[in-house]
């Protein structure tokens, strides 16, 4: 204990130097809207696809590319988008991203054919790759007080985890009561609100250091990530032995290996190795990657189950996920505001993944006679607790302590882990589910009941494997993450007088 009579907590000096500090909560609202738009767009179109297909008259093969075009552009350009935000200012990157996203969403909503829709979806991915890392890096540099930072990242993590589920609800409402085109037009509303808020609240802060862009690193990273996402996307329609799958996956690995080698020698690397080699940061990146795999399993296969087996409408399907969103938001905000500053990420992330795995294993017990309240509701709420407990602390620690001029690319790396994890999860679990369904019906007389049982068996197989992945992730992140509370940037300095 100090001998002095009083202790005065002096706020960090950089609060006064931070032009965003006084308006930080309003800025959080703007950032949250921008992030929600990006997350929603990954799922809001899914429910609208059958209506869009009927309206524009394209085949089943093209339907996959409405989703994949966005994922390809978004996933492959995130690192570049993050570095652009670092070099030319995060406000500029955010506003250009928002304006571009609104314009191409309007083009997509007005599409008169599949070609126009695909171009719009790819362009959405391009602008999303610019604004997503800018939003997260603005959050990182705006909130420097440990307690407030925890609250802010809890909200942001809840948006990241629950936004995809809300996208299913919004997509269902818009498709059922308006038109599938509104699943594109709705982005204009989000973008205009966020753009106006950013214009008023944010100050331009161009980087004091304006190094040259790492062209070789940009090319190898973007091409490598494109090849990986494209290869895994092809795995959903082609066999794993197809050259369109393993050829692109192999090319992606070679290009990314070359990227790492370039980064070790480049004077101004696109992704400095110092961002990746910290144990807490590396463990958090891995956690975000694995959490994305499991989350896509939940949203994809459980949506099939509630619509095809429980006969839920699109709106009812979206509402069915709301209990998960509620528990996820509560867990996320509690984890970052109360638990993370006290115990650090090591107990939270693995425990959250184990809880989410338990929910997935529980959900794998459903069958053709299960009901929503009897077989789905409680496991879904358990998964929400687990994902919230793991995701929000992982997202916070992943960008904690990075130099300010690296905040954009570190934020981009977080988004990249999620995007690649989602692509891998969708392809891998879809393949496992399809194989399970084929094995289930093999040698049996085809009936409607058998087809329904095979479909449910395929879903439960995906849930089981996603649970196994979460358990493995809990073990690995438990070994990687450092014990103890992290040293939070901006902690108050205590002066004794």
């Amino acid at each position: 204990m100090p001998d002095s009579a009083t202790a005065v907590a002096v706020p960090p000096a950089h609060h006064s130097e931070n032009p965003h500090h006084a308006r930080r909560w309003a800025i959080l609202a703007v950032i949250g809207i921008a992030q929600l738009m990006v997350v929603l767009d990954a799922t809001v179109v899914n429910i609208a696809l059958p209506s869009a297909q009927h309206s524009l008259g394209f085949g089943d093969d093209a339907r996959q590319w409405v989703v994949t075009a966005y994922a390809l552009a978004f996933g492959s350009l995130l690192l570049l988008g993050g570095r652009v935000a670092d070099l030319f200012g995060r406000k500029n990157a955010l506003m250009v991203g928002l304006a571009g996203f609104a314009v191409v969403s309007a083009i997509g909503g007005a599409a008169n054919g599949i070609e126009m829709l695909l171009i719009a979806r790819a362009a959405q991915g391009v602008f999303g790759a610019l604004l997503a890392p800018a939003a997260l890096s603005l959050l990182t540099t705006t909130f420097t007080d440990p307690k407030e930072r925890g609250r802010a990242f809890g909200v942001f993590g809840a948006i990241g985890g629950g936004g995809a589920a809300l996208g299913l609800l919004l997509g269902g409402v818009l498709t059922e009561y308006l038109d599938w085109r509104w699943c594109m037009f709705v982005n204009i509303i989000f973008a205009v609100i966020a753009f106006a808020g950013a214009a008023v609240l944010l100050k331009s802060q161009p980087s004091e250091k304006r190094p040259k862009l790492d062209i070789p690193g940009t090319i190898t990273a973007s091409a490598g990530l494109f090849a990986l996402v494209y290869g895994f996307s092809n795995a959903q329609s082609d066999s794993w032995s197809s050259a369109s799958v393993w050829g692109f996956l192999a090319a992606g690995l070679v290009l990314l290996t070359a990227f790492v080698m370039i980064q070790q020698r480049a004077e101004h690397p696109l992704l400095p190795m110092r961002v990746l080699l910290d144990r807490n940061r590396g463990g958090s990146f891995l956690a975000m990657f694995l959490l994305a795999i499991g989350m896509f399993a939940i949203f994809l296969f459980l949506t099939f189950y509630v619509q095809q087996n429980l006969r839920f409408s699109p709106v009812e399907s979206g509402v069915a996920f709301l209990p998960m969103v509620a528990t996820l938001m509560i867990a996320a905000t509690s984890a970052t505001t109360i638990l993370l500053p006290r115990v650090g990420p090591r107990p939270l992330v693995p425990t959250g993944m184990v809880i989410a795995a338990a929910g997935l294993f529980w959900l794998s017990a459903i069958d053709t006679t299960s009901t929503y309240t009897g077989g789905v509701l409680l496991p879904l709420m358990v998964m929400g607790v687990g994902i919230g407990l793991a995701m929000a602390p992982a997202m916070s620690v992943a960008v904690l302590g990075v130099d300010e001029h690296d905040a954009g690319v570190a934020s981009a790396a977080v988004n990249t882990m999620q995007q690649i994890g989602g692509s891998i999860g969708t392809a891998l679990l879809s393949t496992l589910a399809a194989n399970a369904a084929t094995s289930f019906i093999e040698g049996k007389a085809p009936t409607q009941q058998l087809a329904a049982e095979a479909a449910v068996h395929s879903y439960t197989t995906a849930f089981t494997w996603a649970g196994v992945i979460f358990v493995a992730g809990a073990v690995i992140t438990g070994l990687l993450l450092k014990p103890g509370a992290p040293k939070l940037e901006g902690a108050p300095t205590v002066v004794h007088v």
Side-chain angles (χ1 to χ4, degrees), residues 310-450:
L310 300 184
R311 304 298 180 186
F312 281 19
S313 69
V315 174
E316 290 170 335
S317 300
V319 171
F321 284 96
L322 291 184
M324 175 187 173
V325 175
T327 56
L328 190 153
M329 293 183 70
I330 293 170
T333 52
S334 300
T336 50
T337 56
I338 300 172
L339 300 176
L340 182 62
R342 295 176 179 171
V343 302
R346 189 172 185 178
L348 299 179
V349 175
T351 300
M353 296 184 85
V354 168
I355 292 173
L360 281 163
F361 291 141
W362 188 358
L363 190 63
S364 68
I366 58 173
D367 56 29
T368 55
T369 63
S370 298
T371 63
Y372 174 75
T373 54
V376 175
L377 177 60
L378 291 179
L380 200 59
M381 295 176 70
V382 169
M383 285 184 285
V385 172
I387 292 172
L389 190 62
M391 177 172 282
M395 186 175 290
S396 178
V397 173
V399 292
L400 181 66
V402 296
D403 294 335
E404 185 165 333
H405 58 270
D406 288 334
V409 74
S411 303
V414 175
N415 283 282
T416 301
M417 290 297 106
Q418 285 185 288
Q419 188 62 37
I420 300 302
S423 298
I424 291 175
T426 302
L428 177 62
L429 295 173
S430 293
T431 302
L432 292 170
N435 291 339
T438 301
S439 300
F440 189 87
I441 62 177
E442 190 173 357
K444 300 175 182 176
T447 64
Q448 189 173 357
Q449 178 63 23
L450 179 63

Side-chain angles (χ1 to χ4, degrees), residues 161-338:
L166 290 174
L168 296 174
L169 172 60
L170 184 61
V173 171
L174 294 174
T175 302
E176 191 164 327
Y177 296 112
L178 292 173
D179 186 82
W180 71 267
R181 297 179 185 275
W182 274 97
C183 292
M184 301 289 285
F185 289 145
V186 72
N187 292 320
I188 302 172
I189 300 172
F190 287 114
V192 168
I193 295 171
F195 186 93
V200 173
L201 297 171
L202 296 176
K203 298 292 184 182
S204 295
Q205 292 178 284
S207 175
E208 296 178 2
K209 301 178 181 179
R210 188 71 67 86
K212 295 180 180 179
L213 188 63
D214 174 19
I215 300 299
T218 299
I219 293 173
T220 51
S222 299
L225 291 171
F226 180 94
L228 276 185
V229 175
Y230 187 77
F232 278 110
S233 298
N234 285 336
Q236 298 176 60
S237 55
D238 303 337
S239 69
W240 285 90
S241 60
S242 170
S244 64
V245 176
W246 65 260
F248 276 98
L249 294 181
L253 292 175
V254 170
L255 286 166
L256 292 178
T257 301
F259 168 70
V260 172
M261 296 173 65
I262 291 170
Q263 299 310 282
Q264 292 173 337
R265 301 174 183 177
E267 183 179 358
H268 303 295
L270 178 68
L271 178 60
M273 289 298 101
R274 60 181 175 270
V275 173
L276 295 178
L277 296 180
D278 178 81
R279 274 181 58 188
N280 271 351
R281 206 170 293 129
S284 297
F285 286 152
L286 181 62
M288 297 301 296
F289 171 78
L290 295 173
L291 284 166
I293 293 178
M295 284 179 58
F296 270 73
I298 297 166
F299 296 136
L300 179 63
F301 296 105
L302 194 56
T303 299
F304 289 156
Y305 178 77
V306 297
Q307 287 193 353
Q308 296 179 2
N309 294 84
L310 300 184
R311 304 298 180 186
F312 281 19
S313 69
V315 174
E316 290 170 335
S317 300
V319 171
F321 284 96
L322 291 184
M324 175 187 173
V325 175
T327 56
L328 190 153
M329 293 183 70
I330 293 170
T333 52
S334 300
T336 50
T337 56
I338 300 172

Side-chain angles (χ1 to χ4, degrees), residues 95-165:
M95 294 185 69
V96 170
L98 288 167
F101 208 99
V103 170
V104 298
S105 294
I107 293 172
N112 56 12
I114 183 60
E115 296 83 3
M116 188 173 173
L117 180 59
L118 291 179
I119 291 171
R121 287 291 286 165
Q124 282 183 322
V126 172
F127 289 107
L130 186 61
L131 72 88
L136 182 53
S137 58
L138 276 167
L139 186 71
T140 303
T141 55
T142 298
F143 286 89
T144 53
D145 179 82
K147 291 184 180 178
E148 292 182 347
R149 180 190 177 94
R151 197 174 306 136
F153 268 90
V155 172
F156 196 83
I159 292 172

